[in-house]
């Protein structure tokens, strides 16, 4: 794949030079610039006003020391980040990731993609992301609390309901959000919607926990219906990961008549041909915080395999829901050989560029993460609305809005792909549709 548009090619070269040690960030920018070529050609004003150059450079990026004391009394130091990428259409919005692999490249790729994802939801949210190279795995609740408090001791000054609103991501779930919010409130003295994903008793929204996984299924169903005239019902699916996104994708897919036969963690995967027992898996992962192998120990007939060969399992539907670049070319080749119908990304940038190209060339429906996993941040946006108006909405109301937003995102992406001569390419369509609103806002607001 090459960028042939001269202007975008030279702009990408400059981005490469400036960020030469950030491969994930460059991968994300390349994909977007590649998709935007027909837009740049049709609208020369975008280049003239430096829209692409400006978008590829964060408005602000902070990195900070996070010191804390472990249970042995030893002082630990981690590095925290927040990238405030774009505020063109609303306050910075995006999750926090706590994982040992977090670095500036990871945070920037996520923050960059968040700009377009948030725009696709139709809600007024800019793009941001943050996190730390802290590993909550194996840490006690007390250690996690002290880490979160120290993280917030720096972060709070950069946040606010109209400034920057973080939420969860890998390694940041209900427990971490609770500690982060408690410290935010302590430091500012304000009870306000400066974080989303909060607990239901203190300002959280119904459906936020389920939103990304449910939204992924709503998107996938609409894609199958409109592009192939079929439904998910009766299909077999493989889901990678077993965290927040994977769990609720499994639950909703099963509700929609799909048999989900495999799930994983970073050590291995389980196969349960009868269909995964969602309630059991949820309890093992969310409440007991065990490894996924515990599922096979408890379910007769289920098997555990170490390693990452989950994509060699025959399925109609593949839902990667763990981490970036988890779906590689060799995985895609196995999926295609086994007759996969659709791949929908729950994790951010699940697939390498070669994977996407291969799947699309082989007639597999491909739903890119920016569009397909936008349900989480969409319900975060609804949480912000509820907080701002001191309202509490019911489960069904939020769920209906989520479904409507996901169907809307699918159609925005499909329509944009048709309008720019790449009909059915949802990668290009999502990038173009997400970009349109942000670029328009930037043009109106001048060079800032
Ligand atoms: P969780 O921390 O709840 O779960 C992550 C899962 O992915 C775990 O099963 C974990 O296994 C696995 N995983 C994480 N890192 C790796 C790795 N490097 N290699 C292999 N497996 C890995 O995170 P979420 O479910 O929230 O997030 C999953 C993905 O979805 C991420 O890409 C995230 O950015 C994206 N996402 C999340 C949203 C949200 O609202 N939470 C919204 C939109 C996207 P292990 O326990 O072994 O580490
Ligand atoms: O990647 C994502 O969209 C998220 N982790 C959710 C962000 C949010 O602000 O809810």
């Amino acid at each position: 794949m090459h960028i042939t548009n001269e202007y975008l090619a030279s702009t990408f070269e400059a981005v490469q030079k400036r960020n030469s040690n950030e491969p994930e960030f460059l991968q994300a920018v390349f994909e977007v610039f590649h998709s935007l070529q027909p837009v740049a050609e049709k609208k020369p004003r975008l280049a003239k006003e430096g829209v692409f150059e400006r978008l590829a450079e964060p408005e602000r990026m902070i990195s900070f020391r996070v010191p804390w004391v472990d249970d042995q009394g030893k002082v630990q130091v981690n590095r925290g980040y927040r990238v405030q990428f774009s505020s063109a259409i609303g306050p910075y919005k995006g999750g926090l990731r706590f994982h040992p692999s977090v670095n500036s490249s990871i945070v920037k790729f996520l923050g960059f993609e968040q700009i377009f994802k948030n725009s696709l939801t139709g809600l007024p949210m800019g793009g941001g992301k943050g996190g730390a190279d802290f590993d909550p795995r194996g840490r006690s609740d007390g250690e996690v609390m002290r880490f979160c408090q120290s993280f917030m001791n720096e972060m709070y000054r950069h946040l606010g309901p109209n400034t920057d609103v973080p939420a969860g991501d890998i390694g940041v779930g209900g427990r971490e959000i609770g500690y982060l919010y408690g410290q935010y409130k302590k430091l500012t003295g304000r009870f306000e919607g400066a974080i989303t994903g909060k607990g239901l008793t203190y300002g959280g929204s119904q459906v936020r926990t389920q939103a990304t996984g449910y939204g992924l299924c709503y998107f996938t169903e609409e894609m199958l219906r409109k592009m192939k005239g079929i439904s998910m019902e009766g299909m077999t699916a493989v889901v990678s990961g077993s965290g927040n996104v994977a769990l609720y994708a499994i639950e909703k897919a099963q509700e929609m008549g799909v048999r989900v036969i495999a799930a994983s963690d970073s050590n291995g995967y389980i196969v349960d041909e009868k269909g995964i027992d969602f309630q059991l898996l949820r309890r093992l992962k969310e409440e007991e915080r065990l490894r996924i192998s515990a599922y096979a120990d408890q379910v007769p007939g289920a098997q555990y395999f170490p390693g990452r060969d989950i994509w060699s399992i025959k399925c109609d539907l593949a839902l990667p829901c763990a981490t970036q670049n988890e779906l590689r070319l060799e995985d895609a080749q196995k999926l295609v050989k086994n007759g996969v119908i659709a791949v929908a990304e729950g994790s951010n940038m699940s697939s390498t560029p070669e994977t996407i190209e291969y799947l699309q060339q082989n007639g597999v429906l491909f739903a890119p993460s920016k569009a397909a996993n936008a349900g989480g941040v969409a319900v975060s946006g609804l949480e912000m609305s509820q907080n701002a108006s001191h309202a509490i909405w019911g489960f069904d109301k939020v769920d209906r809005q989520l479904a409507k937003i996901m169907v809307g995102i699918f159609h925005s992406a499909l329509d944009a792909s048709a309008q720019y001569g790449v009909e059915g390419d949802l990668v290009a369509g999502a990038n173009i549709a997400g970009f349109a609103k942000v670029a328009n806002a930037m043009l109106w607001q001048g060079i800032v």
Side-chain angles (χ1 to χ4, degrees), residues 337-363:
K337 195 166 138 262
N338 286 327
V340 74
I341 297 168
V343 173
E345 295 185 326
S347 48
N348 285 305
M349 203 166 78
S350 325
S351 311
T352 62
E354 309 81 64
T355 301
I356 299 175
E357 202 174 11
Y358 181 82
L359 290 171
Q360 289 181 328
Q361 281 171 357
N362 282 276

Side-chain angles (χ1 to χ4, degrees), residues 137-253:
R137 260 172 59 188
R139 291 293 179 188
S140 68
D141 287 353
E143 290 179 314
V144 170
M145 180 181 75
R146 292 193 292 278
F147 176 81
C148 289
Q149 290 174 340
S150 179
F151 185 88
M152 190 51 78
N153 286 343
E154 168 62 33
M155 271 291 283
Y156 82 96
R157 72 191 79 243
H158 309 284
L159 307 183
N162 297 308
T163 310
D164 186 352
V165 186
D169 194 81
I170 291 176
V172 178
R175 176 181 59 173
E176 291 74 18
I177 294 289
Y179 294 144
L180 289 163
Y181 189 65
Q183 188 71 355
Y184 176 83
K185 195 155 56 61
K186 174 102 182 165
L187 292 166
T188 61
R190 286 195 296 271
F191 194 111
E192 58 188 9
I195 302 183
T196 61
K198 300 185 291 301
L200 296 177
T201 53
Y202 63 92
S205 175
Q206 294 285 355
V207 198
R208 178 61 189 87
T209 303
Q210 298 88 346
T212 313
Y214 280 19
L216 179 66
C217 293
Y218 297 148
F219 186 99
T220 305
E221 178 71 3
E222 186 70 6
M223 174 177 78
L224 286 166
R225 280 185 185 281
K226 292 288 145 53
M227 294 177 77
K228 271 212 160 34
I230 54 178
S231 155
M232 270 162 76
E233 198 178 345
M235 286 189 177
T236 301
V238 166
V239 177
S240 67
S242 49
N244 174 265
V245 178
L247 280 174
Y248 293 97
I250 293 172
E251 184 188 30
K252 184 53 74 178

Side-chain angles (χ1 to χ4, degrees), residues 237-242 246 250 260-273 276 281 285 291-297 301-314 319 322 326 331 334 338:
V238 166
V239 177
S240 67
S242 49
I250 293 172
V260 183
I261 55 172
S264 64
D265 61 22
S266 59
N267 298 115
Y269 59 97
I270 52 144
V271 180
D272 185 350
E273 289 290 343
I276 286 171
L281 185 64
K285 297 303 300 182
R291 306 304 297 158
I292 203 165
S293 55
Y295 182 92
D297 296 339
Q303 280 180 291
Y304 174 74
F305 302 91
R308 59 172 304 281
D309 208 17
I310 189 170
W311 307 116
S312 64
I313 301 167
K314 182 176 163 54
L319 304 177
E326 57 171 312
D331 304 318
K334 290 175 195 161
N338 286 327

Side-chain angles (χ1 to χ4, degrees), residues 86 97 115 129 146 213 215 228 254 370:
S86 167
R97 177 177 291 191
I115 304 171
K129 202 83 188 190
R146 292 193 292 278
K228 271 212 160 34
Q254 291 188 337
K370 264 185 211 94

Side-chain angles (χ1 to χ4, degrees), residues 1 45 51 80 127 145 174 223 262 299 348 391 434:
M1 245 197 301
R45 194 177 154 206
V51 167
M145 180 181 75
M223 174 177 78
V299 178
N348 285 305

